[in-house]
Amino acid sequence: MVGVGPDGEDSILARVSIVNHFGKCIYDKYVKPTEMVTDYRTAVSGIRPKDIKDGVPFTVAQKDVAEILKGRILVGHALHNDLKILLLDHPKKRSVIRSGINLSNRK
């Protein structure tokens, strides 16, 4: 997410990345901003102006994500924030909130 508004305090979508249960990236798109960006939050987001200049429209990303999530179990941290920024809903019974990172497979 990037910041909009006078002090960049409000957030809008700038990138959507989704991985499958194997950790393989199945969707990764930059999203064209719907408002003037006042804080790219590059140190945290990694987003630069050139990244989102030619991004997909918000409605395209929203539709793509909704289609990918349909009928799937969603696993992640603070998923409500991600769904909220996409203006999407997902059944709570099909969501698993993870607050930790499993490092046991890392070498």
Side-chain angles (χ1 to χ4, degrees):
M1 290 183 243
V2 292
V4 296
D7 297 317
E9 292 179 4
D10 295 322
S11 298
I12 62 169
L13 187 66
R15 186 177 189 177
V16 178
S17 300
I18 301 174
V19 298
N20 66 14
H21 61 285
F22 296 113
K24 180 182 179 200
C25 186
I26 60 170
Y27 189 86
D28 186 29
K29 303 276 184 184
Y30 288 105
V31 179
K32 185 177 280 260
T34 54
E35 299 178 47
M36 188 172 91
V37 177
T38 53
D39 184 356
Y40 285 88
R41 304 174 183 165
T42 303
V44 177
S45 71
I47 304 283
R48 298 187 189 315
K50 65 179 178 138
D51 296 329
I52 57 178
K53 183 177 73 106
D54 296 319
V56 299
F58 173 84
T59 54
V60 170
Q62 182 187 45
K63 180 178 164 274
D64 290 349
V65 171
E67 190 62 35
I68 291 168
L69 298 183
K70 192 181 298 179
R72 310 240 184 215
I73 295 174
L74 186 57
V75 179
H77 174 73
L79 296 171
H80 62 281
N81 293 323
D82 299 322
L83 294 170
K84 181 179 175 182
I85 206 78
L86 281 159
L87 304 175
L88 293 175
D89 193 22
H90 195 72
K92 288 189 191 292
K93 66 182 180 183
R94 300 204 47 91
S95 298
V96 178
I97 310 300
R98 295 288 310 254
S99 60
I101 299 173
N102 182 355
L103 301 175
S104 62
N105 293 333
R106 296 206 175 170
K107 295 180 181 182

